[in-house]
Amino acid sequence: MEALVADLWQAGQAAGLEGARLWAALVTVSMLGGLVIYFGFGGLLYLRYYILRRDDAATWKLQAKRFTPKKLHRWATSVAAGNLAIGGLLSGSYAYAISQGGPTALYLDVGEYGWTYTILSTVIGFVLLEAAAYYTHRALHGKWLFRHVHRWHHRVVAPTPFTTTTMHPAEFLSFQLTAFLPTFFVPLWAGSFIGLLVYVLIFNIMDHSGIEIHHSLPWQSSSRYHDDHHVHFHCNYGQNLMFFDRFHGTLRRKDRRYGKDVFGGRGAPAAGETAPDGGDPFVDYS
Ligand SMILES: [Zn+2]
Ligand SMILES: [Zn+2]
């Protein structure tokens, strides 16, 4: 922790920055970092599929016949960019607070806690981030919160890479806070923390890409898992792992009916269909 403060302070001094100028520099770097990943990586996916392969959408697009209208897409992209700017403001201010000796449990030198602790805390941090995302998201699907807050995110039924962070700013802030708060109490390597944030952003972009993507990472669900969340609304609340959805029965089932007005996460009985005997009742998103 002391090393992290000293490092940031020295970097600021070396660049001749202090006070408001150091804060402005850290905010700018954080904002640019988020925007470059979002529009750089998202832009590559968009160019490669939506522009160059638009005519053969049936071979790559999850909702092959549904394209988001231009006006809605423009609105969604500008809301997403605005949220990323808020995110940059927050993480830049957080880095500035650390540079001024603010309280945080992040550490810079792996030697402080050793590799075993560093690796274990990163894995646990990933699972806890996932748990926070699942329960926050599930709460957002309660009737009141869905209609007043989370509806922003669900205006886009066929998401694209640029609509990943399209959501009510209050929702975006709640996700940011659940990610940042634990770092004040639980020691975590700064590299792991940045790595986890970048991982979540990159995979979220792929999950919202609208492109069929399967990952070789065994714990990572395919992009259809979250795309189906946009099609069917109240199911598949998880982010990267399907564990919590399976555990709570909110993973989409083959024998249930879902839709905008079917709240609760477990669907409604589907007329004329019976549960498949034996076999897994849940849709396969591997
Ligand atoms: Zn949702
Ligand atoms: Zn989404």
Side-chain angles (χ1 to χ4, degrees):
M1 166 59 203
E2 284 76 21
L4 183 56
V5 174
D7 261 51
L8 274 173
W9 190 80
Q10 271 170 14
Q13 289 284 304
L17 294 173
E18 46 191 316
R21 286 176 65 200
L22 175 60
W23 173 80
L26 289 169
V27 166
T28 308
V29 168
S30 307
M31 271 188 194
L32 284 179
L35 289 166
V36 163
I37 292 177
Y38 195 78
F39 289 102
F41 180 58
L44 274 179
L45 287 176
Y46 197 85
L47 173 71
R48 191 169 164 198
Y49 290 91
Y50 286 83
I51 293 177
L52 298 177
R53 294 182 56 188
R54 197 178 178 95
D55 292 339
D56 66 341
T59 63
W60 58 267
K61 200 169 183 314
L62 291 165
Q63 300 176 52
K65 291 189 178 138
R66 191 183 269 144
F67 283 89
T68 302
K70 271 187 185 153
K71 198 176 162 198
L72 178 61
H73 198 242
R74 265 201 303 276
W75 169 83
T77 307
S78 51
V79 170
N83 279 330
L84 285 168
I86 295 174
L89 187 69
L90 215 76
S91 29
S93 303
Y94 174 79
Y96 176 73
I98 293 176
S99 76
Q100 302 303 300
T104 171
L106 287 182
Y107 59 92
L108 195 64
D109 181 6
V110 175
E112 263 187 72
Y113 287 86
W115 277 108
T116 312
Y117 177 86
T118 298
I119 293 169
L120 262 179
S121 57
T122 307
V123 174
I124 293 170
F126 177 70
V127 176
L128 288 180
L129 260 182
E130 184 66 26
Y134 174 85
Y135 291 108
T136 310
H137 190 189
R138 194 172 159 185
L140 284 162
H141 275 264
K143 274 187 188 165
W144 192 90
L145 279 176
F146 184 76
R147 287 182 180 144
H148 292 91
V149 181
H150 194 46
R151 215 166 64 97
W152 282 43
H153 187 64
H154 281 274
R155 275 189 73 185
V156 178
V157 177
T160 76
F162 298 140
T163 65
T164 306
T165 56
T166 301
M167 58 186 81
H168 194 294
E171 178 183 337
F172 187 77
L173 276 175
S174 77
F175 283 116
Q176 293 272 300
L177 285 180
T178 49
F180 278 84
L181 266 184
T183 65
F184 288 100
F185 311 104
V186 187
L188 187 67
W189 181 46
S192 298
F193 183 57
I194 295 169
L196 286 174
L197 293 182
V198 171
Y199 181 100
V200 166
L201 180 59
I202 293 272
F203 277 87
N204 252 317
I205 291 172
M206 288 193 270
D207 290 340
H208 285 90
S209 66
I211 303 158
E212 175 136 31
I213 302 175
H214 297 270
H215 307 286
S216 45
L217 303 170
W219 62 85
Q220 192 67 43
S221 56
S222 74
S223 58
R224 189 181 289 276
Y225 170 54
H226 191 74
D227 198 84
D228 264 6
H229 174 70
H230 282 262
V231 177
H232 300 283
F233 294 86
H234 307 289
C235 59
N236 298 4
Y237 300 133
Q239 194 164 238
N240 299 294
L241 310 175
M242 288 176 289
F243 168 79
F244 293 98
D245 272 309
R246 252 181 198 282
F247 184 74
H248 290 292
T250 53
L251 190 62
R252 194 183 144 225
R253 289 174 66 112
K254 298 167 194 160
D255 57 344
R256 303 284 283 178
R257 179 174 59 82
Y258 298 87
K260 206 175 195 167
D261 301 313
V262 185
F263 285 87
R266 297 190 186 90
E273 278 183 49
T274 50
D277 27 272
D280 192 348
F282 297 113
V283 175
D284 180 15
Y285 292 112
S286 53

